[in-house]
Amino acid sequence: VALRPLRVRDGPAWRAVRERNRDWLRPWEATSPDGSVDVPSFRSMVRRLQREARLGLTMPFVVTYEGPLVGQLNVGGITWGSFRSAHVGYWIDQAYAGRGIMPLSLALVTDHLLLRTGLHRVEVNIRPENTASVRVVEKLGYRDEGLRLRMLHIDGDWRDHRSFALTVEELPPDGLVAAWRARSHSGP
Ligand SMILES: CC(C)(COP(=O)(O)OP(=O)(O)OC[C@H]1O[C@@H](n2cnc3c(N)ncnc32)[C@H](O)[C@@H]1OP(=O)(O)O)[C@@H](O)C(=O)NCCC(=O)NCCS
């Protein structure tokens, strides 16, 4: 499992995965509150994310598994000053679900943000119905911060979200990746 920056030349692979997974992703996808159904082209989405990345506001990653692109993980809302916080969103190709790829990806990014980048807090917001995603943060020890009503416009309406977060003080001594690996190798 590896993470690397999203690039314009990921277009064909990204579009193919998204096309195959349209129904799988729809209930969890951000939508426009003003009802606009204009989806930006892949190229303009990447260019916008790259502009925001240069400003230090976002880190758009693709998730690869043994080479090919299998998902996406975006760090957004990076805020410095006295907050030093960011939020993370992610999805994976249904064909690769259930193998622990996203927990490891989120562990990699959490360690990067809290131990290398110097942020203090990482947040993940999840619809309560999304039990698979709740499992991802639970497995990594993210703390439940409660329910935020009508927080994000998802799949055509304002949806409640559960917020999960970690601050640097809560990280295991060697970081989340080490803890995840130890846990994965200690099974029956
Ligand atoms: C949420 C998501 C990223 C999880 O990624 P993942 O790499 O499959 O994570 P895991 O392997 O840890 O599996 C998480 C849970 O998915 C469920 N799961 C297991 N195998 C599965 C499969 N083949 N298909 C679907 N779900 C499966 C299980 O409930 C599992 O929890 P468990 O390990 O306690 O049994 C992925 O399900 C996904 O992309 N869903 C659609 C988009 C989405 O919900 N994004 C997040 C929005 S907040």
Side-chain angles (χ1 to χ4, degrees), residues 21-99:
N21 285 276
R22 203 181 279 242
D23 294 340
W24 161 251
L25 297 174
R26 185 177 299 114
W28 324 116
E29 290 274 286
T31 40
S32 170
D34 62 18
S36 152
V37 287
D38 289 346
V39 181
S41 70
F42 176 77
R43 173 180 286 270
S44 64
M45 178 191 79
V46 176
R47 292 288 186 230
R48 177 180 56 78
L49 288 168
Q50 288 175 336
R51 266 195 312 277
E52 292 178 4
R54 279 193 293 276
L55 295 171
L57 303 173
T58 187
M59 294 184 197
F61 292 110
V62 295
V63 177
T64 63
Y65 180 65
E66 296 181 346
L69 184 161
V70 297
Q72 190 176 353
L73 184 152
N74 201 58
V75 181
I78 300 174
T79 309
W80 291 93
S82 303
F83 194 24
R84 291 196 171 211
S85 189
H87 53 77
V88 176
Y90 44 71
W91 57 264
I92 195 166
D93 184 342
Q94 186 175 13
Y96 291 87
R99 304 185 194 189

Side-chain angles (χ1 to χ4, degrees), residues 24-29 88-104 124-127 130-136 138-139 161 180 183:
W24 161 251
L25 297 174
R26 185 177 299 114
W28 324 116
E29 290 274 286
V88 176
Y90 44 71
W91 57 264
I92 195 166
D93 184 342
Q94 186 175 13
Y96 291 87
R99 304 185 194 189
I101 294 175
M102 201 47 80
L104 178 54
V124 184
N125 297 298
I126 305 174
R127 290 183 67 180
N130 195 344
T131 49
S133 188
V134 169
R135 284 297 296 137
V136 170
E138 279 177 352
K139 288 186 217 182
H161 280 70
W180 171 253
R183 176 196 154 132

